[in-house]
Amino acid sequence: MSHLVLARKCRPQTFKSLIGQDYVRTALANAILRGRVPHALLLTGPRGVGKTSTARIFAKALNCQKRADEFSAEQVAQNNSDLVEPCGQCQNCKEIAHSNSLAVWEIDGASNNSVENVRELIDSLHTLPPPGSRYKIYIIDEVHMLSAAAFNALLKTLEEPPPQSIFIFATTEPHKLPETVISRCQRHDFSALSTETIFNELKNIAQNENFKIEDKVLGLLARKARGGMRDAQSMLERIIALGDESLTLESANKIFGFVDREFFFKLFDAITTSNSALALKQLSEMFQQALHIRTFLEDFLLHSRNLLVSAVECTKAKPDHELLAQILMCDRSEVERFIAQSTKLSLFEAQRLFDAAERGVSIALTSPDPRFSLEATVVRMSTLEDLKPIAEILQQLTQGGLTSTKPSAPSKFEPSGKSTRLAAEKNQPVVTQARQESQGFNPSWEAFVHFVNSHSELMLAQHLRRVSVKEFNPGTLHLVGSEFDVKSLEDAATAKRLKEILASYSTHPKWALKLEILTTPNQSAVTFGAQGSIAHTEAQINEMRKAELDQEARSHPVVQEALSLFSGSTIEKVQIIKS
């Protein structure tokens, strides 16, 4: 007798043995129990999560010869799914399990996708189910592969099939199906299986096969399966075929071309310490091994994502290690390492690293030589310039934090400093001495707007950025702006929310809002905001910076030399290209 691979040998045969899809299992079992079986089902989800297996279980449950035809009201009320479980012993159950039942047609949509194939299927609907079977069931796998003409030929039959005929469609790409087909089916979406679910199932399979294997190796297979049980079973089959019960995690990584997580911790240590040479050396050593480049790139991006998630969690006073272990799909020891590595970065820096890694991986996946692209990405990540968030820079500008008593000479690529002075000299809201000395309150208007934005009040923050402040004292806020901004802030819900945030920001319970419309608004106030507002000042700074860069470019020695070489030439336009 030929060997039966694990993916077929361990295929679930009953609703109870279907793991990780509780919603679908309950819905289909109750449909049979309550006599509400749909004439067409659409099963969607990633590969290897049980779509075809569920279709077979449903077909067996419908045609099982030992199942009762009807159920009492008391049995229905109890929602006892055991009553509709296929017995697995009757002739119909055995034939369906072995794919040789005359009542169940299993069709591959990829190889039977023409109009002629659909017409043959429709012709078969005119015959009754075989003796001993209640329904004729048509299971079409990868149904999205049917041609447009085949779908059109099937539409009328799909909407009104014979009473004893049922269609079950399975697909990994439901977006490729016509809406007219989807609307005629009862759709059930299968989810990717969790790492823990796959790990437990692999452990059970290994025990049933009398094969001892380390939990670390099983955990590796569960993670690399990416939510698909069939992929995990195929990898386990390969390990069992080796017959090495002393297989280590390192050996398993070499077999499948995977890279151990330890390597990525070392690589990102080099990146975060700006050691490009060490990072390139580590990559070079790794590429000397046989590895699966796509999986390597996915793991590289995954590690940068895990650092970002850890950095977010570390912003809390007490990080939740259990939650991180679940999100990062790793054990507690690795969680500690991710936290230790992420604490060396600010959240802003972690975001920049992930953005750079994402762009680099995207380029490498389409590059003729992914290694070169990845090396360039690693160098770029390890040499990122120190930057600050815009909100922090603006706050320092308005508070004079970036100005000094002894101005330094402008560099080759920086403006002369006029923009900074403009920010420092702009109109400030009136703040009393008592207000400045109050505790728990920062009189900086920019700091308050940033506080509003951090509470996800994005529209409110935009309006506040466009108005100027006449008074910002305990319990009193006087704003001046264009008619559009003032009317928006006068809205009852918006004004109420603004007062709530003011109370939260200042610990002062009651606030009075004074909103004043500009008497002589100009186009600049409508476009950029009122004079002295955050948005207006930023626009002025930006325009001044452009003018300074324009002048700097025109007076650059190389440009002047070029003009002297070409007599009569002029500079028509200077374009600033953002990097």
Side-chain angles (χ1 to χ4, degrees):
M1 182 178 179
S2 60
H3 171 67
L4 198 62
V5 297
L6 291 178
R8 294 181 59 190
K9 183 178 180 180
C10 301
R11 171 172 276 175
Q13 301 296 328
T14 62
F15 285 119
K16 279 187 175 181
S17 61
L18 185 64
I19 61 173
Q21 312 295 344
D22 296 340
Y23 153 74
V24 178
R25 176 179 61 192
T26 302
L28 296 182
N30 284 345
I32 300 174
L33 186 64
R34 298 171 184 273
R36 302 183 66 86
V37 178
H39 66 270
L41 284 173
L42 175 60
L43 309 181
T44 71
R47 68 178 188 270
V49 295
K51 298 184 296 296
T52 307
S53 296
T54 300
R56 290 183 176 183
I57 294 170
F58 190 64
K60 288 195 291 185
L62 289 174
N63 281 339
C64 181
Q65 294 171 328
K66 294 186 178 181
R67 178 178 70 81
D69 291 328
E70 295 182 358
F71 301 97
S72 65
E74 182 179 353
Q75 290 174 323
V76 172
Q78 292 175 352
N79 286 332
N80 187 358
S81 59
D82 291 341
L83 298 174
V84 299
E85 286 282 13
C87 68
Q89 303 299 323
C90 66
Q91 182 180 356
N92 282 352
C93 286
K94 290 180 179 179
E95 289 178 350
I96 295 173
H98 292 89
S99 301
N100 56 13
S101 172
L102 297 177
V104 178
W105 290 35
E106 292 192 39
I107 303 169
D108 176 23
S111 55
N112 298 275
N113 56 4
S114 65
V115 176
E116 289 73 17
N117 297 129
V118 172
R119 285 174 179 168
E120 292 177 6
L121 185 152
I122 294 173
D123 290 340
S124 69
L125 292 171
H126 299 305
T127 60
L128 293 174
S133 299
R134 299 180 183 87
Y135 298 95
K136 290 187 70 175
I137 301 169
Y138 298 86
I139 301 174
I140 304 181
D141 200 10
E142 299 302 330
V143 69
H144 65 273
M145 298 293 289
L146 294 184
S147 64
F151 275 124
N152 291 333
L154 187 61
L155 282 181
K156 184 61 178 176
T157 303
L158 183 60
E159 184 171 13
E160 298 178 0
Q164 291 178 306
S165 298
I166 293 176
F167 291 94
I168 304 177
F169 300 147
T171 179
T172 56
E173 302 183 62
H175 58 278
K176 292 185 177 180
L177 296 181
E179 291 294 334
T180 50
V181 172
I182 296 176
S183 65
R184 287 167 166 81
C185 302
Q186 184 182 105
R187 177 171 174 171
H188 294 279
D189 295 316
F190 286 64
S191 59
L193 303 179
S194 68
T195 303
E196 183 181 2
T197 299
I198 297 177
F199 172 81
N200 292 332
E201 183 65 15
L202 291 181
K203 196 166 187 177
N204 291 334
I205 293 174
Q207 290 175 351
N208 294 335
E209 295 294 318
N210 296 320
F211 188 83
K212 296 179 181 180
I213 185 170
E214 291 185 8
D215 286 352
K216 289 185 177 181
V217 177
L218 292 177
L220 172 69
L221 303 185
R223 288 196 306 270
K224 296 301 182 182
R226 307 287 188 188
M229 181 60 72
R230 186 170 61 238
D231 289 356
Q233 290 170 340
S234 297
M235 287 188 286
L236 180 61
E237 178 90 32
R238 184 172 170 182
I239 289 178
I240 292 177
L242 290 173
D244 185 1
E245 296 188 352
S246 61
L247 185 73
T248 63
L249 182 61
E250 182 180 359
S251 299
N253 278 318
K254 290 182 179 179
I255 290 171
F256 295 105
F258 299 151
V259 178
D260 189 66
R261 281 185 169 180
E262 180 64 27
F263 168 79
F264 291 103
F265 280 113
K266 293 179 179 178
L267 178 63
F268 274 79
D269 277 340
I271 290 174
T272 54
T273 56
S274 300
N275 196 337
S276 304
L278 177 59
L280 289 177
K281 179 182 178 182
Q282 292 171 340
L283 279 180
S284 177
E285 292 174 351
M286 186 54 60
F287 273 100
Q288 290 176 7
Q289 305 176 16
L291 54 83
H292 191 287
I293 185 62
R294 187 179 186 88
T295 302
F296 181 84
L297 292 172
E298 290 174 354
D299 289 343
F300 176 78
L301 183 61
L302 176 64
H303 192 96
S304 63
R305 170 260 187 188
N306 289 348
L307 278 183
L308 176 59
V309 173
S310 301
V312 172
E313 189 66 21
C314 287
T315 58
K316 300 179 181 178
K318 187 177 181 181
D320 189 340
H321 290 207
E322 290 293 338
L323 177 62
L324 267 182
Q326 181 180 354
I327 296 176
L328 304 183
M329 296 181 293
C330 60
D331 54 35
R332 290 293 297 270
S333 62
E334 289 182 323
V335 167
E336 297 292 346
R337 297 200 62 182
F338 276 117
I339 290 178
Q341 198 167 62
S342 64
T343 52
K344 300 176 184 177
L345 306 168
S346 67
L347 181 57
F348 181 64
E349 291 170 336
Q351 289 174 329
R352 294 181 67 207
L353 278 181
F354 177 80
D355 290 340
E358 186 179 33
R359 289 195 298 270
V361 168
S362 178
I363 294 172
L365 287 173
T366 57
S367 172
D369 197 322
R371 174 179 176 174
F372 298 160
S373 299
L374 183 61
E375 288 174 340
T377 298
V378 168
V379 172
R380 190 178 302 114
M381 292 171 66
S382 59
T383 56
L384 286 176
E385 297 180 357
D386 291 334
L387 295 180
K388 291 183 179 180
I390 295 178
E392 182 180 338
I393 295 174
L394 290 176
Q395 182 175 351
Q396 292 181 345
L397 281 170
T398 56
Q399 294 178 348
L402 296 183
T403 60
S404 62
T405 56
K406 184 180 180 181
S408 58
S411 69
K412 180 179 178 179
F413 302 103
E414 294 178 352
S416 62
K418 296 179 182 178
S419 303
T420 303
R421 291 198 299 274
L422 175 63
E425 295 169 0
K426 74 176 194 139
N427 295 331
Q428 296 289 337
V430 177
V431 183
T432 64
Q433 182 67 25
R435 188 69 190 90
Q436 292 175 355
E437 296 175 355
S438 66
Q439 297 180 354
F441 178 80
N442 183 355
S444 167
W445 178 245
E446 286 71 19
F448 172 68
V449 174
H450 179 65
F451 182 80
V452 174
N453 193 71
S454 67
H455 281 64
S456 300
E457 296 290 345
L458 304 184
M459 292 300 297
L460 176 58
Q462 287 302 316
H463 288 301
L464 296 179
R465 283 168 46 82
R466 290 169 48 83
V467 296
S468 63
V469 187
K470 275 194 173 183
E471 186 178 0
F472 192 21
N473 287 326
T476 303
L477 178 60
H478 188 177
L479 304 175
V480 181
S482 66
E483 182 178 1
F484 168 74
D485 292 309
V486 170
K487 292 294 185 183
S488 299
L489 293 173
E490 285 179 342
D491 177 73
T494 304
K496 179 182 178 182
R497 181 57 180 153
L498 177 55
K499 291 178 180 179
E500 291 174 352
I501 297 177
L502 281 166
S504 174
Y505 179 77
S506 65
T507 67
H508 196 283
K510 295 183 179 180
W511 281 78
L513 296 180
K514 296 181 181 179
L515 302 173
E516 180 182 341
I517 298 177
L518 287 169
T519 54
T520 56
N522 52 27
Q523 185 60 38
S524 176
V526 175
T527 305
F528 301 111
Q531 180 75 27
S533 66
I534 297 174
H536 191 274
T537 301
E538 288 178 2
Q540 287 182 301
I541 294 173
N542 190 41
E543 289 301 317
M544 184 170 290
R545 177 173 174 79
K546 286 182 180 179
E548 291 169 355
L549 291 175
D550 183 282
Q551 181 60 34
E552 183 181 340
R554 291 175 182 271
S555 59
H556 196 279
V558 175
V559 176
Q560 292 300 318
E561 184 178 354
L563 291 174
S564 64
L565 288 174
F566 300 94
S567 179
S569 61
T570 59
I571 302 174
E572 293 293 332
K573 180 182 178 182
V574 175
Q575 183 176 358
I576 300 173
I577 302 176
K578 296 181 179 180
S579 58

